[in-house]
Amino acid sequence: MRLTSFGTLLAATTSPPLRACLHASARARQDARPKAKQSLGQNFLVDPALQQGIVDGLADGALTPASLDDGHRVVEFGPGQGALTGRLLASYPRMTAVEIDQRMTAVLRQELPGLHDLREQDMMELDMAALAAEKGGRLSLVSNTPFYLTSPLLFKVLSGIDSVERAVLTMQQEVGDKVLSPHGCKQY
């Protein structure tokens, strides 16, 4: 399955009336989707370059590339409306997605029928050791992390480090700077 972003499709279309129709259709689909829930800290990743960078980051320097072959050990936390999920699914067709919001799982089921392992649950309650055992090895995690969950998710990943091969997590720049700063540094 090959995914084409709307922007690429629009740019390749030469007919202005068709371009306008495609744009209106995409806007209507977007408007019909559930809005981000502030109580869940949801923010949707809309930048295609960033989405692809995250997918590429998952494979870049993977400790055991075989674990990424079909994605059976790739787990996305909080896929939301599925923009990143669609790109991940194209590369890792057996991936798992964990989403707490029932509205978003309905969107994912409708728009990504190839996503066979969609779990409706709180990522913070997921037993990573049990999931790693179920999947047959250490997990590769992906998350466009809500700000308020950054610290709890980092601690969860670190506490389950024996079950995690790789984690690609987006976070607010200041948080990332603090996490990556050496001990004794002003940001630490």
Side-chain angles (χ1 to χ4, degrees):
M1 173 169 98
R2 180 170 162 73
L3 298 177
T4 302
S5 74
F6 175 72
T8 303
L9 180 63
L10 189 60
T13 305
T14 56
S15 164
L18 182 55
R19 239 180 296 163
C21 180
L22 287 171
H23 186 68
S25 174
R27 188 178 314 129
R29 272 195 323 273
Q30 185 65 30
D31 290 345
R33 289 180 174 179
K35 303 294 182 222
K37 246 189 196 177
Q38 190 174 9
S39 63
L40 294 176
Q42 291 174 329
N43 59 82
F44 302 132
L45 192 58
V46 296
D47 182 344
L50 187 54
Q51 294 166 2
Q52 192 58 50
I54 293 169
V55 173
D56 294 345
L58 189 60
D60 186 31
L63 300 176
T64 56
S67 69
L68 293 174
D69 58 2
D70 62 0
H72 68 284
R73 289 188 236 158
V74 172
V75 180
E76 181 184 13
F77 289 145
Q81 296 178 344
L84 176 59
T85 314
R87 289 181 182 272
L88 286 166
L89 194 58
S91 296
Y92 309 111
R94 289 183 52 209
M95 67 169 284
T96 300
V98 180
E99 174 60 58
I100 192 172
D101 188 343
Q102 291 178 330
R103 301 167 316 137
M104 297 304 162
T105 57
V107 169
L108 293 166
R109 284 188 180 100
Q110 179 181 349
E111 296 197 12
L112 297 172
L115 179 59
H116 299 294
D117 193 357
L118 174 58
R119 299 172 187 217
E120 192 174 300
Q121 72 179 93
D122 185 340
M123 66 180 157
M124 297 308 296
E125 295 177 8
L126 180 73
D127 182 340
M128 289 197 300
L131 184 58
E134 174 189 330
K135 299 292 185 178
R138 295 171 70 193
L139 307 171
S140 293
L141 307 176
V142 179
S143 177
N144 179 34
T145 314
F147 175 75
Y148 83 99
L149 276 179
T150 303
S151 291
L153 182 58
L154 283 172
F155 285 118
K156 181 173 183 66
V157 169
L158 291 172
S159 69
I161 199 71
D162 291 338
S163 302
V164 178
E165 178 175 326
R166 183 169 196 78
V168 179
L169 311 173
T170 61
M171 61 189 69
Q172 188 174 347
Q173 183 172 347
E174 293 81 4
V175 176
D177 290 345
K178 187 171 186 169
V179 168
L180 296 174
S181 66
H183 180 69
C185 182
K186 184 177 178 180
Q187 282 98 355
Y188 182 75

